[in-house]
């Protein structure tokens, strides 16, 4: 990249005949949803998709050309300052995808463009302050004196560094000092964070024999000659790093002397940061597909659009995906495979790597910026044609895309919540496939209700796999039974005197698995040790002062128990007695993963127990290490949260215990029953995935609840029929779309007032247009009314196309707008 030599001083001029124009998405830090128009100076070659530098106010900013035009209705435009990259960084489909995302999700256009750029590519505008002349008599104002003294001592500094050193500094103040001749202020661009990693190397520039002869000559003159030692090393190793030459004692002077004599040359080489460098793939031939799998593959391949592959857990959907990828590669096209969680990536990498080896790469958030940067360009060059990753992998610059697979398509981790754009990878994938002519396959054992309804009404194709399969050693597959599911009524356990968090049936099953050398999962949908602490004497409940939610209990060590807010991170030690009444009955309630882990170690002594939740999986490589430990049999009992339910395939996992199936069932959210059914069905599907039978125990205080019964009987259709009837009556998706608006502010009165203003303007605008919908509901306090010290009020729009109504109102920076929100709480 080059940096422009000017700083936004080009004046706007009236267009002249023959001038061409470019529509540019600009990295201006503004919520603009449209590109800005610039003229193309004579002699400057500009192409669609190219990164450019453009004037924006007094600044030079980075942008990407979205379109070219021969005319503009504008009376005056400013010229593009410079081209940043000679080659386009975006192709046509990704430009169209970014525009669609901006319109669909009401997101700033640059934020949507940035999703498609290499990691760390964006360059931010910076203000630099430099000393010119520090006069003998400093200005009278103390702030002016501190500014000039600081830059005199430190030279050219950014305005951020200056503000950190001397306090708030306004551009107006700096402009005055610049007019007085004390300093200069310049606008520029920060160096991009993402860039190639280069390595300096030294190569032999002559024949080895000539190098050795010269070394002998140099040794005759000086027995300790560094040049001679270096030449002998290069004769044996003709290409080494610059660091290696330093270790031999060579200085830049030695290298220049030998280079001048033609004995070596220095050069720079780009190093690729490969996230799969530690993987060793052993090629394995594909197994023989079952008749149902083969029929599913043929049906999907024959359909060029979107297909829902609805297959029960363990039905071999992945083998169908692999066959689709193989056929796509044979046709000269590329494939993207999305998984909902990084936890699934290690197994997916191995399975796809065993089939497609060197053409595979991976994209997910635990990679370093450098790894993402290098793999982006590797994909763009066409060197990697199979991309496995989480939701952001949908934006990989794949040339000639032929297939996109969304495994576990029902998962809401495919929905980006923050920051903008708040897209859903499933919708973005469908749009991208429409732009490129690629197939889209949505796979799940528990499809999203909206997706399944689309297949019911014929909007997309549906293919089903209804039988669980187990691969054999000979490459063939055989049918196996779904796990046996037992609903355990915890009310009966209490009546029988069992106050443990584990029911008697679950304990017996885990003991039996341990005796047989098999593995078990204990699933609880909550981190920490307990949900909250309550004093039974006075009713005191410790809450976060910033978020107004109950503090959770987190056991950090045998001697350290903390109260933690999982929204803002605030924490404090758990007191031994009630801080309000000094009572002794101040105790934790509810269970979390830490508590279950502790209880499992107590009830199953000698068992190797591990915990897998977001508290222990944040480090790079933690998912790979956990999956490896499970597959190698180093773990007997795995305690964890939702990530356990998502696609893990473990042959020795035969027992699953859902410790508290009621979590989330009664939440005030129309998704609550769907989420409960999906979660229970998916976690149950981890048991008995090979020839050994699986056993699942769902512990609940509501054994008659519809989602629990449907999950226990493996009846997706029964659940769907009940759920779709409820949504039709209530007017929820798929029969309407939702838009959720949340306003947050430190002052509660202002938050309510602003939310009420927007709600009223929306109703007035709807009524003035003579429309009966969308419904405008609210404002009401959000389910969590305060987070990080800010009060939150929400307004909900419900209708066929509710987002269009938002064009009638003005929303400020404290508004959070979410199209098709994943939750209403």
């Amino acid at each position: 990249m080059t940096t422009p030599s000017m700083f936004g001083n080009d004046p706007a001029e009236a267009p002249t005949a023959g001038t061409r124009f470019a529509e540019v998405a600009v990295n201006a830090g503004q919520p603009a949803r449209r590109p800005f128009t610039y003229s193309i100076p004579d002699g400057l070659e500009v192409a669609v998709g190219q990164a450019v530098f453009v004037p924006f106010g007094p600044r030079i900013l980075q942008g990407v050309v979205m379109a070219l035009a021969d005319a503009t209705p504008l009376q005056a435009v400013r010229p593009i300052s410079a081209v940043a990259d000679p080659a386009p960084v975006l192709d046509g489909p990704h430009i169209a995808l970014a525009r669609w995302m901006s319109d669909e999700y009401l997101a700033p256009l640059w934020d949507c463009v940035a999703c498609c750029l290499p990691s760390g590519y964006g360059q931010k505008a910076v203000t630099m302050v430099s000393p010119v002349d520090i006069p003998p008599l400093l200005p009278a104002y103390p702030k002016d004196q501190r500014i000039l003294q600081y830059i005199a001592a430190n030279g050219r500094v950014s305005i951020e560094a200056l503000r950190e050193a001397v306090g708030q500094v306004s551009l107006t103040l700096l402009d005055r000092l610049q007019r007085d001749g004390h300093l200069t202020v310049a606008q520029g661009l920060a160096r991009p964070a993402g860039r190639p990693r280069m390595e300096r190397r030294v190569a032999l520039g002559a024949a080895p024999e000539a190098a050795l002869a010269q070394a002998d000559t140099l040794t005759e003159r000086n027995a300790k000659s560094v040049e001679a030692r270096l030449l002998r090393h290069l004769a044996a190793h003709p290409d080494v790093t610059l660091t290696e030459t330093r270790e031999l004692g060579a200085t830049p002077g030695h290298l220049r002397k030998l280079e001048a004599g033609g004995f070596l040359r220095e050069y720079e080489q780009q190093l690729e940061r490969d996230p799969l460098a530690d993987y060793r793939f052993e090629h394995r031939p594909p197994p023989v597909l079952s008749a149902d799998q083969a029929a599913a593959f043929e049906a999907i391949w024959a359909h060029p659009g979107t297909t829902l592959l609805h297959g029960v857990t363990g039905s071999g959907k992945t083998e169908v995906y692999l066959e689709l990828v193989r056929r796509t590669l044979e046709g000269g096209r590329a494939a993207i495979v999305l998984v909902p969680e990084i936890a699934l990536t290690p197994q997916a990498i191995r399975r796809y790597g065993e089939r497609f080896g060197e053409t595979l790469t991976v994209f997910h958030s635990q990679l370093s910026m450098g790894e993402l940067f290098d793999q982006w360009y590797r994909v763009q060059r066409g060197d990697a044609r199979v991309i496995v990753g989480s939701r952001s992998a949908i934006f990989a610059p794949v040339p000639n895309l032929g297939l996109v697979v969304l495994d576990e398509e029902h998962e809401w981790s495919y929905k980006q919540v923050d920051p903008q754009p708040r897209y859903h990878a499933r919708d973005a994938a469908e749009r991208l496939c429409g732009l490129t002519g690629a197939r889209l396959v949505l796979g799940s054992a528990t499809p999203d209700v909206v997706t399944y309804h689309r297949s019911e009404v014929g909007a997309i194709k549906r293919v089903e796999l209804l039988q669980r399969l187990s691969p054999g050693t000979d490459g063939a597959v055989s049918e196996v039974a779904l796990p046996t599911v037992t609903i355990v009524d915890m009310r009966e356990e209490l009546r029988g005197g069992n106050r443990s968090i584990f029911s008697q049936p679950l304990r017996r099953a885990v003991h039996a698995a341990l005796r047989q050398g098999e593995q078990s999962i204990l699933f609880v949908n909550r981190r920490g040790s307990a949900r909250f602490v309550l004093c039974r004497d006075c009713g005191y409940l410790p809450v976060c002062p910033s978020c107004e939610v109950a503090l959770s209990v987190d056991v950090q060590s045998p001697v350290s128990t903390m109260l933690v807010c999982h929204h803002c991170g605030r924490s404090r030690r758990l007191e031994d007695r009630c801080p309000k009444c000094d009572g002794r009955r101040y105790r934790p309630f509810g269970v979390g993963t830490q508590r279950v882990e502790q209880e499992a170690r107590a009830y199953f002594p000698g068992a190797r127990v591990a915990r897998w939740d977001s508290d222990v999986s944040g480090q790079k490589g933690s998912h790979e290490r956990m999956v490896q430990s499970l597959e190698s049999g180093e773990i007997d009992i795995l305690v964890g949260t939702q990530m356990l339910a998502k696609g893990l395939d473990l042959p020795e996992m035969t027992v699953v215990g859902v410790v508290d199936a009621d979590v989330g069932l009664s939440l005030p959210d129309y998704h609550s029953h769907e989420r409960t059914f999906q979660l229970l069905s998916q976690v149950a599907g981890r048991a008995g995935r090979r020839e050994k039978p699986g056993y699942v125990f769902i512990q609940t205080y509501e054994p008659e609840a519809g989602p629990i019964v449907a999950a226990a009987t493996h009846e997706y259709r029964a659940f769907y029929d009940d759920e779709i009837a409820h949504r039709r009556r209530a007017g929820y998706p798929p029969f309407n779309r939702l838009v959720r608006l949340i306003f947050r502010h430190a002052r509660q009165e202002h938050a309510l007032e602003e939310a009420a203003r927007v709600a009223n303007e929306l109703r007035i605008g709807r009524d003035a247009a003579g429309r009966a919908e969308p419904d405008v509901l609210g404002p009401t306090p959000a389910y969590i009314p305060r987070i990080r010290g800010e009060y939150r009020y929400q307004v909900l729009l419900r209708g066929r196309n509710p987002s269009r109504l938002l064009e009638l109102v003005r929303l400020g920076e404290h508004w959070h707008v979410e199209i098709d929100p994943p939750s209403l709480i």
Side-chain angles (χ1 to χ4, degrees):
M1 285 184 197
T2 58
T3 302
S5 58
M6 59 194 80
F7 294 99
N9 296 318
D10 300 303
E13 297 179 351
T16 59
T19 301
R20 299 200 69 209
F21 304 92
E23 293 183 2
V24 181
V26 181
N27 185 11
Q30 296 182 355
R33 290 176 43 217
R34 295 290 180 267
F36 296 89
T37 300
Y38 291 88
S39 62
I40 302 175
D42 291 341
L44 189 68
E45 294 294 328
V46 174
V48 173
Q50 208 166 26
V52 294
F53 295 116
V54 295
F56 196 90
R59 301 174 291 170
I60 283 286
L61 298 180
Q62 184 186 42
V64 172
V65 177
M66 307 295 283
L68 299 176
D70 293 323
T72 178
L74 299 176
Q75 298 301 310
V77 292
R78 301 172 75 180
I80 291 174
S81 298
V83 169
D85 266 344
V89 71
L90 290 186
D91 59 15
H94 286 89
I95 289 174
L97 178 64
R99 285 183 181 270
W100 172 83
M101 288 171 61
S102 180
D103 291 337
E104 180 73 6
Y105 300 107
L106 307 181
L109 179 59
W110 176 260
D111 291 346
C112 300
V113 168
C115 290
C116 305
L117 297 176
S119 180
Y121 188 88
Q123 291 179 264
K124 295 182 179 179
V126 292
T127 301
M128 303 300 296
V129 183
S130 304
V132 172
D133 177 31
I134 306 299
L137 296 175
L138 290 171
Y141 298 112
K143 175 61 76 66
D144 296 1
Q145 294 179 16
R146 292 198 300 273
I147 291 172
L148 296 180
Q149 288 169 343
Y150 181 79
I151 63 174
N154 294 276
R156 187 168 183 258
V157 298
S158 69
I159 192 172
E160 288 78 13
L162 184 61
R163 285 169 174 165
E164 185 175 344
V166 304
Q168 181 58 36
V169 177
S170 68
L171 290 175
T172 303
L173 189 157
L174 292 178
D175 184 56
R176 174 171 57 78
L177 291 174
Q178 180 172 242
R179 290 197 308 271
D180 292 342
H182 297 320
L183 50 77
T184 60
V185 182
Q187 300 290 340
L189 290 165
R191 187 182 184 189
R195 50 188 178 271
R197 181 182 176 184
M198 307 303 293
E199 181 182 60
R200 296 288 300 172
R201 299 188 67 86
V202 175
L204 187 64
E209 296 80 8
L212 290 172
Q214 178 66 11
D216 291 340
T217 302
L218 293 171
T219 303
E220 290 175 4
R221 300 176 190 168
N222 179 2
K224 297 182 179 180
S225 170
V226 174
E227 290 105 320
R229 186 160 61 245
L230 179 58
L231 286 172
R232 289 192 178 97
H233 185 77
L234 285 172
H237 310 281
D239 196 313
V240 298
T241 66
L242 189 62
T243 302
E244 289 179 70
T245 68
R246 299 283 191 264
E247 292 170 353
L248 293 169
T251 66
H254 295 133
L255 297 177
R256 283 195 298 270
K257 190 180 297 184
L258 290 174
E259 189 168 22
F263 291 102
L264 61 79
R265 62 182 178 87
E266 282 190 65
Y267 70 99
E268 204 169 44
Q269 175 177 290
Q270 181 175 340
L271 297 181
E272 181 176 304
R273 291 154 288 195
D274 183 4
L276 303 182
D278 294 334
Y279 283 82
R280 295 294 179 267
F281 299 120
E282 179 182 344
H283 179 72
R284 294 188 182 183
V288 178
L289 295 181
S290 71
D292 288 347
Q293 286 175 315
F297 164 77
E298 295 295 344
I300 295 169
W301 190 256
H303 182 64
T306 301
T307 302
L308 168 63
L309 178 57
H310 178 203
V312 299
T313 56
S315 59
K317 295 185 291 295
T318 301
E319 287 300 333
V320 176
Y321 304 154
L322 287 162
E323 185 64 15
L324 289 166
V325 172
R326 184 189 66 79
R327 185 72 68 88
T328 299
L329 296 181
E330 285 181 351
R333 306 185 75 177
I336 297 174
V337 179
L338 300 185
V339 293
E341 285 283 350
I342 299 171
L344 299 183
T345 312
Q347 286 194 325
I349 289 172
R350 188 166 61 253
R351 295 192 71 171
Y352 285 90
E354 288 170 351
R355 300 285 179 88
F356 309 114
E358 295 302 316
T359 193
L360 175 71
T361 192
V362 60
F363 277 72
H364 59 70
S365 61
Q366 282 201 349
L367 300 184
S368 69
M369 182 181 293
E371 288 171 331
L372 289 169
F373 183 90
D374 287 352
Q375 296 311 302
W376 191 96
Y377 280 102
R378 183 171 174 237
V379 170
Q380 190 191 52
R381 294 192 303 267
D383 295 340
R385 297 171 59 213
V386 179
I387 297 90
V388 173
S390 51
R391 63 173 177 258
S392 60
I394 192 60
F395 303 115
V398 179
N400 202 14
L401 182 65
L403 173 71
V404 176
V405 173
L406 263 82
D407 193 21
E408 311 292 357
E409 68 86 28
H410 64 278
E411 285 289 344
W412 276 101
S413 52
Y414 283 126
K415 181 77 163 79
Q416 167 99 346
V417 176
D418 273 317
Q420 289 268 36
R422 300 182 178 96
Y423 67 93
H424 198 301
R426 181 177 58 220
D427 300 330
E430 188 158 16
R431 186 69 179 186
L432 181 62
C433 289
L435 292 166
T436 58
R439 290 178 178 81
L440 174 61
V441 180
L442 309 174
S444 177
T446 55
D448 185 286
V449 166
V450 173
T451 302
Y452 197 85
H453 181 263
R454 292 183 67 203
S455 74
E456 285 284 276
V457 300
I460 62 176
K461 184 181 181 65
R462 184 170 80 235
V463 175
E464 295 186 325
L465 290 172
L466 302 179
Q467 181 60 53
R468 175 173 274 206
L469 301 174
S470 175
T473 56
D474 59 353
V477 294
S478 57
E479 295 184 358
V480 295
L482 288 164
T484 301
V485 182
T486 301
I487 298 176
V488 181
D489 188 344
M490 294 303 286
R491 298 170 300 183
E492 294 297 326
E493 291 288 312
L494 286 174
R495 292 189 190 104
N498 179 16
R499 297 188 176 276
S500 163
I501 61 174
F502 303 134
S503 63
Q504 294 289 355
L506 176 57
R507 271 191 266 175
R508 288 193 294 268
V510 173
H511 278 300
L514 290 171
R515 287 193 300 271
Q516 295 167 22
E518 297 166 356
Q519 295 171 313
S520 303
I521 282 177
L522 298 176
F523 171 81
V524 57
N525 195 21
R526 187 183 299 111
R527 293 184 291 165
S529 177
R531 278 187 295 171
F532 59 88
V533 177
L534 179 70
C535 178
R536 290 192 175 186
D537 292 327
C538 70
Y540 172 72
L541 174 73
V543 299
C544 174
S546 296
C547 302
E548 293 188 356
V549 295
L551 294 169
S552 300
V553 182
D554 187 72
V555 180
Q556 299 189 347
S557 73
V559 295
S560 176
T561 301
M562 306 293 290
L563 293 174
V564 177
C565 175
H566 289 302
H567 293 282
C568 70
R570 183 187 293 265
S571 64
R572 74 171 200 243
R573 286 191 177 277
L574 173 63
E575 304 89 346
D576 295 329
R577 301 164 73 103
C578 174
K580 183 176 181 181
C581 72
D582 201 37
R584 292 184 177 276
R585 298 203 300 166
Y586 183 56
R587 299 172 184 170
F589 285 82
V591 294
T593 48
Q594 289 182 351
R595 167 89 182 280
V596 174
E597 180 187 15
Q598 292 169 350
E599 295 284 315
R601 294 184 188 278
Y603 277 97
F604 309 109
R608 295 166 295 177
V609 181
R611 174 164 55 95
W612 198 7
D613 57 21
S614 57
D615 290 335
V616 299
S617 62
Q619 293 185 343
K620 184 176 181 180
S622 59
H623 299 286
E624 289 88 341
R625 290 190 294 271
M626 182 64 75
V627 171
Q628 190 175 46
S629 296
L630 286 165
E631 293 180 335
S632 63
E634 298 172 15
I635 296 172
D636 298 319
I637 299 174
L638 182 62
V639 178
T641 53
Q642 291 189 33
M643 61 181 66
L644 300 182
K646 300 175 182 178
L648 286 177
D649 188 1
L650 302 167
E652 296 300 318
M653 193 66 68
T654 58
V655 174
V656 168
V658 180
V659 176
D660 185 0
D662 305 327
V663 174
L665 188 59
S666 300
L667 289 173
D669 184 18
Y670 80 95
H671 286 299
S672 60
H673 280 201
E674 180 181 23
R675 300 277 173 79
T676 299
F677 170 78
Q678 290 170 340
L679 199 55
L680 295 179
S681 298
Q682 291 289 338
V683 75
R686 300 316 106 205
R689 294 176 70 91
R690 294 294 185 271
E691 65 280 356
K692 296 179 181 179
Y695 302 94
V696 180
F697 299 86
I698 300 177
Q699 298 183 169
T700 175
Y701 290 92
E702 300 182 60
E704 304 87 6
I708 292 176
V709 173
T713 55
H714 311 291
E715 288 288 346
Y716 176 84
R717 185 68 200 210
F719 163 76
Y720 170 81
D721 289 340
D722 288 344
E723 182 68 11
I724 203 71
H726 162 69
R727 295 197 186 184
R728 183 180 285 108
R729 291 191 300 269
Y732 283 124
F735 305 103
N736 282 306
R737 295 185 71 182
L738 300 177
V739 176
R740 186 190 190 202
L741 296 86
I742 293 183
F743 185 76
R744 49 185 173 76
H745 200 272
R747 289 177 45 238
Q748 185 175 15
E749 299 80 6
H750 178 70
L752 178 57
E753 180 182 328
E754 172 66 6
R757 176 192 70 80
V758 168
N760 288 335
E761 288 186 11
L762 288 169
R763 293 187 182 100
I764 291 170
R766 177 198 61 194
D767 296 344
R771 297 165 56 182
E773 55 95 16
D775 297 328
V776 180
L777 310 175
T780 58
Y783 182 73
I784 302 176
R786 190 158 65 117
I787 291 182
R788 295 183 178 89
E790 292 184 320
Y791 292 92
R792 306 164 74 238
Y793 283 86
Q794 72 177 27
V795 177
L796 189 67
L797 307 183
R798 181 175 60 190
R800 285 168 293 179
N801 193 11
S803 61
R804 297 283 76 89
L805 188 62
L806 294 178
E807 297 173 357
L808 306 177
V809 299
R810 173 181 50 83
L811 299 176
E813 61 175 338
H814 292 284
W815 279 100
H816 173 113
V817 180
E818 191 155 27
I819 311 298
D820 301 326
S823 174
L824 300 181
I825 60 176

